[in-house]
Amino acid sequence: MPKHPLSADELMGSREIRFIDRQETNYPNLMRLCMDFDFRVLQLLHKTPVPTANKSFVLVTKDYRLTPTAAISPPFATVEQLETYVHLHQVDILHNYLFGFVDEDIVSSGGLSE
């Protein structure tokens, strides 16, 4: 699961979406990643109106301010769509977060043969 670069040239800024209450969240998968694993959900604020400007919610690592490739997910138009993506890819997201690579990376670098 590749990381998705955030281009600072396209963005005016961003704001973090916080998950406060574990009991009342509508987004349990995002809440778990944010509260238990220090991920962040960002709403991206674009400088100019572009066709992708409606895709403004993304999952990032906690060091997103320092790393241009901190985005874990592609951008989505709604938090609900991001929740669905995280639900479908949660194992891969956590594997990459905890171990830093996936088996395809090892095979492509010549570390294992098929």
Side-chain angles (χ1 to χ4, degrees), residues 9-100:
D9 296 335
E10 300 172 4
L11 299 176
M12 180 173 53
S14 63
R15 66 179 181 165
E16 288 185 22
I17 306 297
R18 298 285 176 140
F19 299 95
I20 306 296
D21 188 357
R22 288 180 186 265
Q23 305 302 322
E24 306 215 5
T25 186
N26 293 326
Y27 313 108
N29 295 299
L30 288 171
M31 182 268 319
R32 182 166 187 261
L33 288 179
C34 291
M35 295 184 86
D36 296 342
F37 295 99
D38 287 332
F39 285 95
R40 306 288 189 265
V41 173
L42 293 184
Q43 181 178 15
L44 306 176
L45 307 171
H46 298 273
K47 286 183 181 177
T48 58
V50 292
T52 59
N54 63 342
K55 296 184 177 183
S56 60
F57 294 95
V58 66
L59 182 70
V60 297
T61 57
K62 65 181 175 183
D63 61 350
Y64 70 91
R65 292 181 195 101
L66 305 172
T67 308
T69 58
I72 299 298
S73 73
F76 290 95
T78 66
V79 179
E80 290 85 4
Q81 291 172 338
L82 181 58
E83 170 73 13
T84 300
Y85 175 86
V86 167
H87 176 73
L88 295 173
H89 299 285
Q90 189 169 21
V91 171
D92 293 331
I93 290 168
L94 288 174
H95 185 275
N96 286 345
Y97 176 74
L98 296 172
F99 300 108

Side-chain angles (χ1 to χ4, degrees), residues 94-111:
L94 288 174
H95 185 275
N96 286 345
Y97 176 74
L98 296 172
F99 300 108
F101 60 88
V102 293
D103 295 337
E104 292 84 10
D105 293 337
I106 295 171
V107 171
S108 68
S109 68

